[in-house]
Amino acid sequence: MDIASKYDPSQTEDKWYKYWLDNKYFKSVPDEREPYTIVIPPPNVTGVLHMGHMLNNTIQDILIRRARMSGKNALWVPGTDHASIATEAKVVNKLKEEGIDKDDLSRDEFLKHAWEWTDKHGGIILKQLQKLGASCDWDRTCFTMDEIRSKGVIKSFVQLYNEGLIYRGVRMINWDTKAQTAVSDEEVIYKEVQSKLYYLRYKIEGTDDEYVTIATTRPETILGDTAVCVNPNDDRFKHLKGKRVLVPLINRSVPIIEDEYVDMEFGTGCLKITPAHDINDYEIGMRHNLESYDILNDDGTMSEAAQLYVGEDRFEVRKKIVEDLEKAGNLVKVEDYTNKVGFSERTDDVIEPKLSTQWFLKMKELSKPALDAVMNDEVVFHPKKFKNVYRHWMENVKDWCISRQLWWGHRIPVYYLEDGSYVVAETAEEALQMAKEKTGNQNLTMDNLRQDEDVLDTWASSWLWPITVFDGFEEGNKDFEYYYPTNDLVTGHDIIFFWVARMIIAGYHFKGKYPFKNVYFTGMVRDKLRRKMSKSLGNSPDPLDLIAKYGADGVRVGMLLCSPAGGDLLFDESLPEQGRNFANKIWNAFRLVKGWEVSSDIEQPESAKQAIVWFEQKLNQTIALVDDHFSKYRISDALMAVYTTFWQEFSSWYLEAVKPGYQQPLDAETYKATVEFFDKLLRLLHPFMPFITEEIWHLLDERKKGESIMISDMPVATGINDEVVEQFEVAKEVVGNVRTVRKEKNLPMKEQLTLSVLSANGDYNTMFDEVVKKLANLKEIAKVDEKVAGAVSFMVKTNEYFIPMEGIVDVEAELKKLEEELKYQQGFLASVTKKLSNERFVNNAPEQVVAREKQKQADAEAKIKTLTASIENLKK
RNA sequence: GGGCGAUUAGCUCAGUUGGUUCAGAGCACUUGGUUUACACCCAAGGGGUCGGGGGUUCGACUCCCUCAUCGCCCA
């Protein structure tokens, strides 16, 4: 058989993905098996795949494939998110490029454009996931704005409203002037910026030349000032009590008030109060019954209430007003200042705190069960450290502003009557019925009702995701009953509040049960310089290019090799390269095995028998280790365990040990065992590297039509004999020592040597002698009763080994080596003896530990005896 | 300003209830090796006072305090 010496992923990946799809292996329907479910964190419908998705979905696929091979009914539900503000912004931009202004469109016209855009670009990202090998049940693909999901969102709103948890109110919210909508606290990103601190003086009313000086970073907001505030404990301002000052330029008379909120150390100790445009000022305003002037329009220009600069942009006004204040003699000084300013996560607009009428969800009571669930590990976080972060947020949770002044989203199911009152209903028809009952007027028609213009926050649909993907708001839904709660959620820790916390809240509130049992938080993918990967920095490789270059398996391995749960992953192309190299290693191991001529006429060599005895145990040990890692969600460690087992143990030790001589056939028994080992290793590897394992699995042995490694059984450990594994480690050490001697003494590998062994306590174990002979290229291993003269020696455990050198032994070098070893052993013995002569150690330490120390002591003593004798011998 | 976390080999990180002279892995590096699966390879090797200081303990990379540096989240 002619097999290429390099593995070529492009020849296999699409082929096998199609095969899996054709055979419907990803599909899941409820049956008698135990379910294992993951719901995908839905990517933005118009988004493109980035490295974060790669990491995330690789992990999900690994979990799903492993569960599927372990006898579970595994279901991975895919889908996309309508991403209200992000998508709307994209559509607005696209229309602008076409010369269309959103303001000129009706709601319906705009939505038509948005749907067209969604249909065109939506789902590209899911196609990209298929390249990665994602084994999602694509027939179940959901969209947060499709019919079923929308119905669930509306139902949940109505329910929460009826429970008294949703209210409408005027509150200070975060206003995005670009998107012209409110955004939630979580959508505001605080960034440090270089700005100026302006010191402005306000004339005290009724005086000619007395002033108070305040400091502000936002001088344009003085037009909305309704007070100046000092700390009541501040002696400097006692004389101002009860007086009033005049706001510069507009000469509005405002009171001087006292509030402990004011930091006496900051600025001048005098604070201007603008209740309409600062959250703290707002609260002070509430306490002191201050007036409030909203000086900004929704687009960020000055409003009529500002009196001056009406219609001009807030940042332009900032420059102008400083000049005007200077002219008017109110500007005292300007200092450089670094402060933190809130920016919109989506539009990067500077957020304006603004008073606005919005819909809110009361969170305090709602979050209680969700907080408890995580604290007592009913929902388990991996890694645990995120429990603290979660608790902190949940204990300080604020009401959630759920309305957005956008069109792309779920329209709020609130219907206003002409008198300003409203009804809340799932449909317009129901709303009309309720309105009729409410007013007693049976003649009302739809025309008398006006639905709220706003839509809901995107997360108000995604927080229901684990429920709505199974249509869980329908009573008695079989799918929901079978698959819910789901098992694992895999997501970035950056959306712990946006999404994870709220899903848990929704799970308990609507279904009385957690939505998922485990949460695996991935880190952020960063570049080598620890910068977040982003489009604007251009530091993110295109995942599809990477797949083309290194293969999906290679990229998957690369993502995982360096991604502990919750820790950031510093991405570098050397990672997928390492993954690709590993794939090639597997390929060549296969090439070797497949290239052997197999004969049932020859006897199985003793060395092969021994190697098989060992590897069977070694493999068992690895299987158990991998199980253990998975049970603790140490997925990188699990991969590393299989990686080293395949590369070091299987390829470098086992295959070398059973390999026949050049152009010699292999006996049938060894071949059979080798193929079985290979098969098990492939199955262990399959969740990590689905494509190459499927390819080789089919080439390795006869397979029936429709068979696949992805539905084969995950190997299970069947009792490990540690003694065998340990003994082989000794054999490895002997081989390694012989190799070192060869190198040091320039003995070619081809030259057969004789190894003599002197066993101190007669416990020399011959279990793997034949393997040692083969791998070290030895004529024989001879047992001797006394030291061999004129030989190079080394020790493994308490046995001393000799390689005769026929007169070319460098006595000085040998002596030096032995004396170094002796010194080390003496130091070791000293430390052990010290420990053992410490009564408190012997009395306090566990028995096992003491016994181990005693064994160490005995071994060291034996070694020292041997070494001393050898040195004496050499000196003769 | 509040909180969380990190600091271990040149780099990225493990080190799982404190117990082998336990300081480890991968990559990188050095040296040697190719007619006999793979140079995307094989073999051998160098390299760290576990951020500094203090404490608890028979025993500390591991627990406590403190300082320094860095990162993240929140206001």
Side-chain angles (χ1 to χ4, degrees):
Chain A
M1 181 169 4
D2 197 24
I3 311 171
S5 71
K6 289 209 176 1
Y7 172 63
D8 181 3
S10 68
Q11 296 294 310
T12 57
E13 297 189 347
D14 289 348
K15 174 182 76 184
W16 288 118
Y17 201 85
K18 184 170 180 300
Y19 180 83
W20 297 329
L21 284 177
D22 289 348
N23 284 283
K24 302 194 185 311
Y25 291 142
F26 302 160
K27 197 149 184 48
S28 167
V29 287
D31 60 20
E32 71 292 343
R33 287 176 298 168
E34 188 186 333
Y36 175 88
T37 317
I38 296 180
V39 293
I40 204 169
N44 290 359
V45 64
T46 61
V48 289
L49 200 67
H50 59 64
M51 296 305 288
H53 295 124
M54 297 285 278
L55 172 61
N56 213 5
N57 288 292
T58 295
I59 292 169
Q60 291 174 69
D61 197 45
I62 289 166
L63 293 172
I64 277 285
R65 284 181 185 270
R66 191 174 157 85
R68 196 181 283 122
M69 290 174 73
S70 305
K72 307 273 176 62
N73 184 351
L75 169 63
W76 185 9
V77 186
T80 49
D81 192 291
H82 67 285
S84 175
I85 189 167
T87 304
E88 179 150 332
K90 276 187 198 166
V91 174
V92 167
N93 277 339
K94 176 227 167 205
L95 289 174
K96 200 177 275 171
E97 280 167 21
E98 294 169 8
I100 304 172
D101 193 342
K102 181 190 164 191
D103 292 341
D104 297 336
L105 296 177
S106 71
R107 185 181 192 116
D108 286 345
E109 284 167 343
F110 178 82
L111 286 177
K112 198 165 160 265
H113 282 292
W115 275 110
E116 272 171 20
W117 172 272
T118 300
D119 292 338
K120 193 171 159 199
H121 298 271
I124 289 179
I125 195 162
L126 299 181
K127 287 275 174 249
Q128 292 178 315
L129 281 178
Q130 300 193 345
K131 287 275 174 200
L132 187 65
S135 59
C136 303
D137 183 351
W138 300 106
D139 295 343
R140 292 178 179 268
T141 303
C142 299
F143 178 47
T144 51
M145 247 170 79
D146 63 23
E147 204 185 321
I148 290 173
R149 265 47 67 181
S150 299
K151 221 166 67 190
V153 172
I154 299 307
K155 271 197 168 176
S156 70
F157 184 98
V158 173
Q159 181 184 333
L160 291 166
Y161 177 80
N162 290 335
E163 288 165 342
L165 292 167
I166 285 181
Y167 66 93
R168 187 169 185 251
V170 178
R171 292 287 185 284
M172 184 65 73
I173 49 89
N174 309 294
W175 186 260
D176 180 329
T177 69
K178 274 194 198 153
Q180 298 204 26
T181 177
V183 296
S184 69
D185 292 340
E186 286 69 34
E187 288 165 298
V188 180
I189 318 249
Y190 288 87
K191 290 192 243 179
E192 213 159 70
V193 294
Q194 297 298 319
S195 56
K196 306 267 186 212
L197 191 59
Y198 302 91
Y199 287 77
L200 308 175
R201 59 179 197 173
Y202 289 31
K203 189 184 255 182
I204 297 170
E205 197 176 34
T207 69
D208 283 337
D209 202 25
E210 280 184 52
Y211 295 88
V212 293
T213 303
I214 58 92
T216 179
T217 56
R218 303 178 59 202
E220 72 282 5
T221 61
I222 68 166
L223 303 174
D225 283 0
T226 55
V228 165
C229 190
V230 297
N231 193 304
N233 304 314
D234 196 335
D235 292 336
R236 294 174 294 178
F237 304 116
K238 285 274 190 258
H239 64 288
L240 295 177
K241 197 169 178 174
K243 297 201 170 155
R244 298 178 75 86
V245 296
L246 299 171
V247 177
L249 304 179
I250 53 173
N251 286 322
R252 176 188 298 138
S253 168
V254 300
I256 293 174
I257 58 170
E258 293 178 318
D259 196 292
E260 303 230 339
Y261 167 78
V262 179
D263 178 359
M264 295 192 282
E265 306 297 319
F266 182 81
T268 61
C270 275
L271 182 67
K272 69 194 257 331
I273 305 296
T274 321
H277 298 287
D278 184 283
I279 179 69
N280 296 309
D281 290 13
Y282 172 71
E283 278 163 16
I284 292 171
M286 296 287 277
R287 285 201 284 276
H288 297 269
N289 285 317
L290 296 175
E291 282 179 274
S292 173
Y293 298 100
D294 185 352
I295 60 161
L296 284 176
N297 292 316
D298 287 351
D299 62 358
T301 59
M302 305 306 279
S303 71
E304 294 286 340
Q307 299 183 42
L308 303 172
Y309 318 106
V310 176
E312 295 182 51
D313 181 77
R314 54 197 162 140
F315 295 113
E316 289 304 312
V317 172
R318 183 171 301 171
K319 289 179 205 153
K320 276 193 186 173
I321 199 168
V322 171
E323 285 171 28
D324 291 343
L325 284 165
E326 188 166 20
K327 277 182 211 152
N330 292 97
L331 184 66
V332 179
K333 62 174 173 175
V334 183
E335 285 177 353
D336 286 326
Y337 185 66
T338 307
N339 64 336
K340 293 220 172 156
V341 176
F343 290 82
S344 168
E345 191 198 28
R346 290 297 167 199
T347 64
D348 210 34
D349 184 45
V350 172
I351 290 294
E352 288 294 337
K354 190 169 146 60
L355 276 176
S356 172
T357 305
Q358 302 287 348
W359 289 96
F360 294 88
L361 178 58
K362 290 184 192 168
M363 295 297 277
K364 199 85 203 165
E365 283 307 303
L366 214 49
S367 14
K368 186 85 178 53
L371 173 58
D372 295 343
V374 171
M375 284 307 114
N376 60 32
D377 289 329
E378 194 167 77
V379 175
V380 188
F381 280 8
H382 305 273
K384 291 238 176 292
K385 66 177 180 184
F386 288 107
K387 278 172 79 172
N388 280 328
V389 182
Y390 178 85
R391 187 184 62 213
H392 192 254
W393 189 77
M394 291 292 264
E395 282 175 350
N396 297 289
V397 68
K398 302 222 176 59
D399 287 355
W400 175 11
C401 176
I402 51 174
S403 46
R404 295 290 182 276
Q405 288 65 56
L406 300 167
W407 282 341
W408 180 243
H410 304 95
R411 194 164 174 181
I412 292 177
V414 171
Y415 299 83
Y416 298 93
L417 279 64
E418 278 151 347
D419 63 358
S421 67
Y422 56 81
V423 292
V424 176
E426 286 178 35
T427 62
E429 291 71 29
E430 272 178 54
L432 182 60
Q433 194 53 43
M434 288 170 79
K436 284 177 181 170
E437 281 165 27
K438 187 170 175 171
T439 57
N441 178 355
Q442 292 300 316
N443 299 323
L444 287 179
T445 67
M446 288 294 187
D447 291 338
N448 300 108
L449 290 183
R450 184 177 54 79
Q451 188 175 358
D452 198 299
E453 292 294 327
D454 292 352
V455 299
L456 288 166
D457 181 5
T458 292
W459 300 100
S461 57
S462 15
W463 79 320
L464 306 171
W465 190 243
I467 300 171
T468 53
V469 294
F470 302 117
D471 200 4
F473 282 94
E474 280 306 311
E475 287 304 314
N477 183 308
K478 284 274 182 328
D479 269 4
F480 180 80
E481 284 168 10
Y482 182 73
Y483 292 112
Y484 190 94
T486 70
N487 296 73
D488 299 339
L489 178 80
V490 181
T491 190
H493 62 71
D494 53 334
I495 53 175
I496 181 168
F497 310 129
F498 274 123
W499 196 45
V500 179
R502 286 169 179 164
M503 275 194 288
I504 301 173
I505 292 171
Y508 280 97
H509 186 71
F510 294 111
K511 293 298 162 189
K513 187 133 203 201
Y514 49 82
F516 30 73
K517 183 71 196 160
N518 294 284
V519 185
Y520 181 100
F521 288 106
T522 63
M524 300 288 98
V525 181
R526 296 171 183 280
D527 69 6
K528 264 178 135 177
L529 305 170
R530 289 198 180 269
R531 298 175 305 182
K532 250 185 197 171
M533 291 213 163
S534 73
K535 245 192 229 162
S536 53
L537 274 174
N539 60 350
S540 177
D542 182 340
L544 295 185
D545 290 348
L546 286 177
I547 289 176
K549 199 164 164 192
Y550 301 106
D553 291 326
V555 175
R556 289 166 67 115
V557 167
M559 297 306 302
L560 217 53
L561 276 176
C562 205
S563 60
D568 283 351
L569 156 61
L570 273 60
F571 185 82
D572 182 82
E573 281 217 22
S574 68
L575 294 171
E577 193 184 314
Q578 195 184 336
R580 178 204 58 187
N581 293 354
F582 183 43
N584 200 52
K585 184 70 193 180
I586 301 169
W587 181 252
N588 274 289
F590 159 69
R591 210 158 71 96
L592 173 69
V593 171
K594 210 57 197 175
W596 284 331
E597 186 196 329
V598 181
S599 165
S600 38
D601 298 335
I602 52 174
E603 211 173 316
Q604 186 178 31
E606 202 57 31
S607 56
K609 265 187 203 162
Q610 293 180 352
I612 290 167
V613 166
W614 162 67
F615 196 71
E616 200 168 312
Q617 293 311 317
K618 185 68 212 176
L619 191 53
N620 261 334
Q621 205 180 52
T622 302
I623 293 167
L625 183 60
V626 169
D627 285 347
D628 184 53
H629 283 317
F630 265 103
S631 73
K632 291 163 184 158
Y633 289 81
R634 289 192 203 131
I635 299 171
S636 301
D637 289 348
L639 170 61
M640 197 39 86
V642 195
Y643 179 95
T644 46
T645 299
F646 193 95
W647 203 314
Q648 309 304 328
E649 312 293 353
F650 183 65
S651 297
S652 296
W653 287 102
Y654 175 80
L655 288 181
E656 291 300 331
V658 300
K659 198 176 183 175
Y662 182 48
Q663 292 194 332
Q664 298 292 307
L666 185 79
D667 70 276
E669 263 177 280
T670 304
Y671 183 75
K672 186 164 164 277
T674 305
V675 168
E676 268 171 32
F677 289 149
F678 211 138
D679 192 308
K680 278 190 182 175
L681 284 165
L682 287 174
R683 282 182 275 149
L684 274 177
L685 278 165
H686 177 77
F688 303 101
M689 308 175 84
F691 295 108
I692 190 175
T693 50
E694 184 76 290
E695 172 75 9
I696 294 178
W697 193 76
H698 279 267
L699 295 172
L700 192 64
D701 216 337
E702 289 293 314
R703 306 293 175 193
K704 293 192 205 81
K705 192 163 176 282
E707 268 192 312
S708 165
I709 191 173
M710 71 165 283
I711 52 164
S712 68
D713 292 334
M714 186 54 68
V716 287
T718 52
I720 302 155
N721 186 338
D722 286 325
E723 170 62 20
V724 168
V725 177
E726 271 168 40
Q727 206 54 52
F728 196 83
E729 290 306 310
V730 173
K732 282 178 175 177
E733 211 177 322
V734 174
V735 172
N737 270 295
V738 174
R739 284 172 178 165
T740 309
V741 170
R742 279 183 190 277
K743 193 175 174 185
E744 281 173 356
K745 305 298 174 199
N746 276 321
L747 298 173
M749 197 48 210
K750 284 174 189 157
E751 187 183 325
Q752 279 209 322
L753 303 173
T754 297
L755 185 68
S756 301
V757 53
L758 175 62
S759 175
N761 12 349
D763 63 351
Y764 181 72
N765 189 318
T766 59
M767 188 186 266
F768 294 118
D769 269 11
E770 292 306 314
V771 174
V772 172
K773 272 166 72 178
K774 178 163 181 187
L775 294 181
N777 194 20
L778 302 172
K779 247 196 306 270
E780 63 168 328
I781 299 177
K783 266 175 257 175
V784 292
D785 297 326
E786 52 190 44
K787 292 180 190 300
V788 178
V792 177
S793 70
F794 59 84
M795 288 193 80
V796 176
K797 295 273 170 180
T798 51
N799 299 322
E800 193 175 17
Y801 296 79
F802 302 91
I803 300 173
M805 295 302 291
E806 291 165 20
I808 55 163
V809 173
D810 180 343
V811 176
E812 285 304 309
E814 276 301 292
L815 266 178
K816 202 177 157 210
K817 198 176 83 184
L818 289 173
E819 273 163 359
E820 265 172 29
E821 176 69 14
L822 179 64
K823 209 171 141 196
Y824 174 88
Q825 290 300 337
Q826 283 169 336
F828 178 52
L829 179 63
S831 83
V832 175
T833 309
K834 189 180 160 203
K835 204 181 256 190
L836 282 169
S837 57
N838 183 337
E839 265 180 52
R840 285 197 286 184
F841 170 72
V842 180
N843 294 337
N844 293 329
E847 227 172 284
Q848 281 179 327
V849 176
V850 178
R852 218 156 42 200
E853 292 298 315
K854 283 189 175 153
Q855 180 63 49
K856 273 162 31 181
Q857 187 182 36
D859 285 355
E861 279 166 352
K863 277 194 177 184
I864 286 168
K865 203 172 146 198
T866 308
L867 286 166
T868 315
S870 294
I871 289 169
E872 287 306 310
N873 249 356
L874 272 176
K875 279 182 177 167
K876 272 178 202 166

